Amino acid sequence: MTTTPGHRSFPIRVLALIWRVIRTIVFLIGLAVVLLTVGGYFALRHAAKIGPKPLPAHYALTIDLTQAPPDAPKRPEWLAALRGSTPTLAETIEALDRAAQDPRLTGVDIDLGGDCCALTTAEELHDALVRFRDASHKKVIARAMSFDGASGLGAYIVATGASRIELSAAGDFSVTGIAMQSPFAADLLQKLGIDAQYEHIGKYKTYPQMFTRSSPSQANVEMMNSLVSSLYASALAPIAQRLGTSPEAAGKLLDQAPITADTAKQDKLVDAVLPLTTRFSHFAGQHVSLSRYIADAPAAPEDAPKVALIVASGEIAGPSASGEPNRIEPKRLAQELRSAAKDSTVKAIVLRMDTPGGTVSSRNGWTLASPRSAWVSTERCSGLPCRSNHGLFRISAVTGATQPAA
C-alpha cells in the first residue's frame, strides 16, 4: 500500500520533524560562526586602529623569565589577539636592544624561574643584558626563588648579566654541572628477534647506535665528552667574568652546591638574600611588561633594510615530508630560503635552527646560492627588520658586522 504525503505514518512524521530540527540547529550554528568571525574581524581592526595606551613618561621594564621565551616565529597578530602571545626570544632580545636607547626607561626588572633557560637561550639573553647595561648605564635586577639543577644553571647564566642578583631566603643555590646519557637497546631488540638497520655516514653520526649497539663506540664517547666540556666551558665563562675569577675557580664554587642562600651570598654568587614575602622596588615610576613594551615599538621606515629570519625547529624529516607538525620539512625550508634569496629587498638571511638532526637523505636540496644574500650570525640580527613566511617585523638598526650584500 502506498502512503500519500498527506497520510504519512507516525514514524515518518517523527523522522521529518527530527530532520527539520537538525537543519535548524546546523543553520543557527553556521550563522553564529559567521557572525562571530565577522564581528571578531571588525573588532580586531578597531583595536588595531586604537592601538595600545601610550607608555608613561618614566617606567621600568619588567621581564618574566620564569619560563624560557620560545625560539620560534611570532604569532600572527590575529592569533595573538585571540589567544594571547608570549614574546619570542628574538622579540625579547630586540626589545632589550631598543630599550638601551630609550630615555623613558629607568631600568630592567627580571623574574627568573626553574623553566628558564636552555644554555643557548641563556647565553643570548645574558649577552643582551650586558649590551643593555653597557649602552644605557642603567640597572638590571634579577631575582629568583632558587637556582636548582641543570635548568638553574641556565637561569643563573641569565642572572649574571644583571647588575644585582636577589635570591629568596626560602630557596637555595643548587646549580649543577652538565651530564649526557644515552640508552642502548641492541641486546633487548636481539631478544625480541628484531634486527635494526640504519643508513650511517661518518663515525660521529651516532644516533643509530642506540639500536645497533649495547655500549657506546669510542667516537660516541669522544663526541659526548667534547659536547659536555664545550657547553660547560661556555656556561662558566659569564659566571667567572661576573665573579672576577677564572673559569676553574668558578667551577669549584658551583661544585659546592647545593648550598643555602646565605652561603651563596657569602661566596658572592648572589648579591642579596630576601625574605620570602619581601620585594624591593629599585625603580621609580611604573612598571611596564615586556609584551606591552613590544606592542609600543615604533614602525620602521618603509625603506629600512630587511633581513629574512627563518626559524626551523624540530627533527629534520625526510625529503618527501609534508604537513608534519613540529618537524623541519626540507622542501618547505628550501622553498623559504629560495624565496628570501630571490627577494631583492632582503639584504641578509638569518637561519635559526633548533634540531637534533634527522635522516641522511634530508640533507639534500639545502644548498642556497644567491649573489644578493648574506648570512649573518643569530647574535647580529638584532636591530634589523626580519621577515619569514610567518610575517614581517621591523626593528631599528644593524648591530655588528655582516657580509656585504651585492
Side-chain angles (χ1 to χ4, degrees):
M1 183 178 70
T2 303
T3 302
T4 63
H7 298 83
R8 290 181 296 183
S9 64
F10 178 74
I12 293 178
R13 291 199 301 273
V14 170
L15 291 175
L17 176 62
I18 293 174
W19 174 241
R20 286 196 296 272
V21 171
I22 292 174
R23 284 192 305 175
T24 302
I25 292 174
V26 171
F27 171 77
L28 292 176
I29 292 175
L31 180 62
V33 170
V34 171
L35 291 176
L36 287 173
T37 302
V38 174
Y41 170 76
F42 284 105
L44 289 176
R45 289 194 60 182
H46 179 67
K49 290 180 180 179
I50 296 177
K53 294 181 180 180
L55 297 179
H58 299 286
Y59 54 88
L61 178 61
T62 300
I63 302 179
D64 183 358
L65 292 179
T66 52
Q67 293 185 332
D71 191 2
K74 66 176 182 178
R75 287 178 173 177
E77 292 184 4
W78 66 270
L79 184 59
L82 292 175
R83 300 179 57 183
S85 179
T86 300
T88 66
L89 177 59
E91 289 177 311
T92 302
I93 293 173
E94 184 276 326
L96 284 169
D97 287 340
R98 180 165 60 90
Q101 311 299 328
D102 192 335
R104 301 170 298 175
L105 204 74
T106 57
V108 177
D109 208 353
I110 301 174
D111 284 315
L112 292 164
D115 290 332
C116 175
C117 303
L119 296 182
T120 51
T121 298
E123 184 176 347
E124 289 196 73
L125 290 171
H126 168 275
D127 292 349
L129 292 176
V130 171
R131 287 198 304 274
F132 170 84
R133 291 173 55 199
D134 290 344
S136 68
H137 306 290
K138 296 174 182 176
K139 291 190 297 185
V140 176
I141 308 299
R143 63 177 57 85
M145 283 295 297
S146 62
F147 294 106
D148 295 325
S151 60
L153 177 59
Y156 187 63
I157 290 171
V158 177
T160 58
S163 316
R164 177 182 171 92
I165 304 175
E166 297 178 350
L167 181 61
S168 171
D172 58 15
F173 191 93
S174 302
V175 170
T176 62
I178 303 172
M180 297 181 70
Q181 61 182 4
S182 177
F184 295 91
D187 292 343
L188 174 62
L189 294 178
Q190 186 177 8
K191 290 179 180 180
L192 296 174
I194 300 174
D195 180 24
Q197 297 180 355
Y198 284 86
E199 290 182 277
H200 184 225
I201 298 178
K203 64 179 181 179
Y204 293 107
K205 298 294 185 181
T206 57
Y207 172 77
Q209 291 185 13
M210 184 186 306
F211 306 102
T212 59
R213 293 178 62 96
S214 56
S215 61
S217 65
Q218 183 177 353
N220 195 347
V221 172
E222 178 187 351
M223 178 190 66
M224 293 180 72
N225 285 334
S226 176
L227 286 173
V228 168
S229 298
S230 176
L231 287 171
Y232 197 47
S234 296
L236 288 177
I239 298 174
Q241 184 177 11
R242 188 180 196 278
L243 296 174
T245 187
S246 66
E248 293 76 14
K252 289 180 180 179
L253 283 175
L254 297 187
D255 288 342
Q256 300 178 81
I259 57 178
T260 65
D262 288 330
T263 303
K265 180 183 176 182
Q266 182 179 344
D267 291 340
K268 299 182 179 179
L269 292 167
V270 301
D271 298 300
V273 176
L274 304 182
L276 179 61
T277 58
T278 301
R279 183 186 180 103
F280 290 138
S281 178
H282 296 276
F283 305 105
Q286 301 182 38
H287 283 64
V288 170
S289 69
L290 178 62
S291 296
R292 186 180 174 193
Y293 186 72
I294 291 173
D296 186 67
E302 287 298 325
D303 59 349
K306 298 176 185 177
V307 166
L309 174 63
I310 300 175
V311 180
S313 179
E315 182 181 345
I316 302 172
S320 60
S322 178
E324 298 190 21
N326 303 319
R327 301 185 76 187
I328 299 173
E329 299 172 10
K331 286 184 178 180
R332 182 185 176 194
L333 179 56
Q335 179 58 44
E336 290 191 11
L337 290 170
R338 282 193 292 267
S339 297
K342 292 177 181 178
D343 190 336
S344 60
T345 66
V346 172
K347 304 305 180 183
I349 300 172
V350 175
L351 174 61
R352 292 189 64 97
M353 297 193 69
D354 179 11
T355 175
T359 63
V360 173
S361 56
S362 63
R363 62 190 176 90
N364 296 328
W366 285 43
T367 303
L368 175 67
S370 171
R372 289 197 307 270
S373 299
W375 292 89
V376 297
S377 72
T378 56
E379 297 175 346
R380 303 299 185 180
C381 177
S382 185
L384 286 171
C386 299
R387 184 217 305 267
S388 72
N389 66 317
H390 305 282
L392 173 69
F393 62 94
R394 296 174 179 272
I395 39 190
S396 53
V398 180
T399 59
T402 65
Q403 299 176 16

